[in-house]
Amino acid sequence: MKRLIPILPAVLLLMAAGPAELPTDKPPALEPNRQVLQVPLPTEKPPPSVLTAADIPGPACTPDHRALIDDALAEARTRLAEAIRLVREQPDHPHITRWFRDASRKVIGMTLELTAARLADVTDLDIRCNDPAGCPGGRFAYARELVLGLCAPYFRARMDGTDARWGILIHEASHIAANTRDHAYRPNGALTLAKENASRAAENADNYEYFVETLR
């Protein structure tokens, strides 16, 4: 049988001492978190956002639109003259073969010349900028009869590389002047079309655009 430890004396001593006194003072208030960064509120209004030509609604072209179009027209005219000269003087040049294979050099040259003539004088063209009716989705531009529509992505495009602002003008002007088609899009599509069907490549607007854009 286990021996019980006597605890009664200890209990009696605690009872004799009386109840413990409760604290009478309130604890000090908590200090604010010293790590919180206090940022003063701005007192000035933010500057108004700057509208670019891509943001300005149409369909009427503003001076901001016109400035970009005029720069692109000047570059397109210069590049087309170089392309026409290459086809005339070096019809077997590898660059021509790359984009058109064995398609008729006469057809290629005539399409380039008609496109150049169309862009040489645009006074009779109805140029529309950011026309909501003609610019769904991410369309760059469109052309029909004597209407040339330029959409917001066109005004965001660069002036170098493929799908440049001036190259897009060549694409659309070839539709109006030479009745080109859209059999294939983008550089890879145009190159594949040239391999598979050279005569169709000579009808395709993107083949002419990329042929001229990649000439240098």
Side-chain angles (χ1 to χ4, degrees):
M1 184 173 178
K2 292 185 179 180
R3 184 180 178 184
L4 296 178
I5 298 174
I7 61 171
L8 183 59
V11 173
L12 293 174
L13 287 174
L14 289 174
M15 293 176 63
E21 294 183 0
L22 297 175
T24 58
D25 297 333
K26 293 182 179 180
L30 296 176
E31 294 185 2
N33 190 343
R34 298 181 182 274
Q35 295 182 354
V36 174
L37 179 62
Q38 301 294 328
V39 179
L41 295 175
T43 57
E44 298 180 358
K45 293 182 179 180
S49 58
V50 178
L51 292 179
T52 67
D55 304 313
I56 301 172
C61 297
T62 68
D64 288 338
H65 293 130
R66 287 288 181 180
L68 296 179
I69 295 169
D70 289 344
D71 285 346
L73 280 171
E75 188 69 19
R77 291 161 182 161
T78 299
R79 299 294 190 104
L80 278 168
E82 296 172 1
I84 291 168
R85 183 163 53 250
L86 180 68
V87 175
R88 285 178 180 170
E89 298 175 359
Q90 302 180 59
D92 296 325
H93 193 281
H95 190 72
I96 305 173
T97 303
R98 181 188 182 203
W99 291 101
F100 298 103
R101 295 293 167 163
D102 60 350
S104 167
R105 285 354 187 209
K106 182 178 180 180
V107 171
I108 297 168
M110 183 178 298
T111 301
L112 291 169
E113 290 172 10
L114 289 171
T115 302
R118 177 66 278 173
L119 291 179
D121 183 5
V122 296
T123 54
D124 61 334
L125 276 182
D126 179 9
I127 300 178
R128 302 177 185 177
C129 298
N130 293 340
D131 182 4
C135 295
R139 177 181 289 179
F140 277 90
Y142 62 92
R144 57 176 183 268
E145 297 179 355
L146 291 178
V147 175
L148 174 59
L150 304 173
C151 305
Y154 171 83
F155 293 107
R156 295 191 187 101
R158 304 178 304 173
M159 280 288 283
D160 57 357
T162 56
D163 293 316
R165 286 200 305 272
W166 60 269
I168 295 169
L169 291 183
I170 291 174
H171 177 116
E172 301 302 335
S174 73
H175 284 319
I176 297 171
N179 203 29
T180 57
R181 298 288 188 265
D182 289 322
H183 295 308
Y185 289 105
R186 308 293 297 154
N188 288 341
L191 289 171
T192 299
L193 181 64
K195 292 177 183 178
E196 297 177 352
N197 194 325
S199 61
R200 282 203 162 199
E203 298 174 348
N204 194 54
D206 260 4
N207 283 73
Y208 289 97
E209 176 183 342
Y210 299 131
F211 167 68
V212 182
E213 285 180 331
T214 59
L215 181 54
R216 293 183 182 179

